[in-house]
Every structure is written in C-alpha cells, then in structure tokens.
C-alpha cells in the first residue's frame, strides 16, 4: 500500500467515529502499521500478551475460545470498522484468554495501545476517539448479553442478519451457529423455517 492509499483507508476508518482534521490524522499516521491477514490466519492467539489495537479496514474476523477438549466457542464476530484486541492484555499485561482470527482476508491498521493513549492524552479528538471505542465495546457486549437472555435462537439469528447485512453471506454457517450459541442443525432448522434454504 502506498502512502496515499494508507491515508485514505485510515481516514475512512477514523472519520465515522470522530471528525478529525488533517493535522490530527497526520499525528497518527506514522504510528499505524498496515498488514493483510489471509483467511484463517490468527491476528493473535491465546496466551499472547497483546499490546496493539488492530482495526479492521476490510474483511471479517472472530474472537474465539478453545476449551480443554479443543472445542471452539465464538466470543464475538468482527467486521469492517471493528477492532481486534484483548483489553485484559492491554491494561494488565496479562495473557489473552482467547484467539483473534481472520475469517476472510482482512486488511488491518494496527497501533500500539500506549501510543494510542498518548495521542488521547495530548489531543481532545483522539481522546474522544478512545472514549467512543470503549463506549462501542460496552454497547456491543451489553447487546450481546441481552440477546442471550431475552431472545430465542431465531431472534438472535435475525438480529445477526440485520447487524451484518450482506456481509453475513461471507461467514460460514458453522461460525454463525457457534456465535449464536446453537448447533449447526438448529441453525439449519431456523434457516429452513425462515425460507433461507
């Protein structure tokens, strides 16, 4: 990626969250690194000490846990505009308890957390950006918890389809079922009932 493409991708990522000016973007440009992760590649794995926030410029990914028997459980799905990181690792320097993996090819903009915090302390708009990231994370977690407590499996699937739109077609159904906390067979029944098969 050349510098102009990097600037464009970074601007597209940042501007929906906070209206940065050119100078504020320039402050951060050299702090970001840009990488591409192919489908099934890990951004980080369980037990890594995560020191960066990895913003998804394009593509889809997931966070997942692996139990003692090697069974996977999706914690969350990540789409364009989202981010991969482990808050526990960032804040406590503790090992991440989960994995972060690309489900499709993902273009990522990564920044060290300590550098993001320094930007936030020195510049009001970067401070707003970090605050809004945490607000978005809290809302996402609150909504996911509520969906498991208040919605049945079909309602959770309908909510998933609304949230991911056409991007949902790029996520394997077994990954969707795992995210919804149901079996592949149950998802197949729901899809049949909804006329999607």
């Amino acid at each position: 990626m050349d510098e102009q493409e990097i600037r464009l991708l970074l601007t597209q990522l940042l501007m929906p969250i906070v209206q940065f000016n050119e100078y504020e973007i320039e402050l951060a440009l050299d702090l970001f690194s840009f990488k591409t992760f192919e489908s099934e590649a890990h951004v980080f794995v369980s037990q890594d000490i995560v020191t960066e926030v990895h913003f998804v410029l394009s593509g889809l990914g997931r966070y997942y846990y692996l139990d003692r028997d090697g069974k996977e459980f999706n914690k969350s799905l990540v789409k364009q505009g989202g981010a991969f990181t482990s808050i526990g690792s960032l804040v406590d320097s503790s090992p991440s308890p989960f994995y972060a993996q690309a489900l499709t090819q993902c273009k990522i903009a990564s920044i060290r957390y300590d550098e993001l915090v320094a930007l936030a302390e020195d510049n009001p708009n970067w401070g707003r950006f970090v605050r809004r990231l945490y607000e978005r994370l809290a809302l996402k977690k609150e909504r996911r918890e509520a969906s498991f407590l208040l919605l049945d499996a079909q309602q959770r699937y309908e909510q998933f389809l609304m949230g991911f739109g056409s991007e949902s077609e790029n996520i394997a159904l077994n990954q969707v079922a795992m995210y919804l906390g149901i079996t592949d067979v149950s998802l197949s029944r729901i899809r049949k009932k909804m006329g999607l098969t």
Side-chain angles (χ1 to χ4, degrees):
M1 284 186 275
D2 64 25
E3 188 173 331
Q4 188 173 356
E5 185 181 2
I6 287 171
R7 184 184 297 274
L8 177 63
L9 287 171
L10 193 57
T11 302
Q12 289 172 343
L13 169 78
L14 300 172
M15 293 301 260
I17 301 170
V18 171
Q19 291 297 305
F20 288 99
N21 62 41
E22 283 290 318
Y23 169 74
E24 291 163 334
I25 290 175
E26 196 66 39
L27 284 174
L29 203 53
D30 290 339
L31 301 177
F32 279 90
S33 61
F34 297 83
K35 304 167 200 139
T36 299
F37 289 86
E38 297 303 325
S39 176
E40 298 186 21
H42 284 91
V43 179
F44 59 84
V45 298
S46 175
Q47 301 310 304
D48 279 355
I49 304 295
V50 180
T51 59
E52 294 179 303
V53 181
H54 307 277
F55 294 98
V56 180
L57 301 172
S58 66
L60 297 162
R62 69 174 178 146
Y63 289 110
Y64 71 96
Y65 290 98
L66 207 56
D67 73 9
R68 289 184 182 140
D69 299 324
K71 186 174 179 185
E72 296 177 5
F73 296 90
N74 278 349
K75 172 186 182 309
S76 185
L77 296 175
V78 182
K79 61 183 179 176
Q80 182 178 344
F84 290 117
T85 199
S86 169
I87 301 296
S89 239
L90 294 179
V91 174
D92 294 337
S93 298
S94 58
S96 172
F98 50 81
Y99 298 75
Q101 181 184 42
L103 292 174
T104 64
Q105 184 187 75
C106 288
K107 289 186 179 179
I108 306 278
S110 302
I111 185 170
R112 288 185 53 85
Y113 184 65
D114 58 351
E115 292 177 335
L116 183 59
V117 168
L119 273 174
E121 289 172 349
D122 292 342
N123 181 279
N125 264 348
W126 280 103
R128 280 185 206 89
F129 178 78
V130 170
R131 187 191 81 233
R132 288 182 183 162
L133 288 180
Y134 279 107
E135 289 170 350
R136 284 178 162 197
L137 177 63
L139 283 171
K140 183 178 179 180
K141 291 180 78 59
E142 185 177 284
R143 288 175 181 149
R144 182 151 167 80
E145 180 183 274
S147 75
F148 273 98
L149 294 172
L150 302 174
L151 304 178
D152 63 31
Q154 181 172 329
Q155 291 169 320
R156 289 197 306 275
Y157 182 54
E158 290 166 349
Q159 190 177 61
F160 161 80
L161 291 174
M162 284 182 7
F164 280 82
S166 63
E167 290 178 298
S168 65
E169 297 167 14
N170 297 320
I171 304 174
L173 292 177
N174 68 318
Q175 296 292 343
V176 175
M178 202 184 312
Y179 173 70
L180 297 173
I182 60 177
T183 65
D184 297 0
V185 173
S186 295
L187 180 57
S188 182
R189 283 193 199 115
I190 289 168
R191 286 174 53 79
K192 186 174 182 181
K193 183 178 172 186
M194 293 172 65
L196 297 175
T197 58

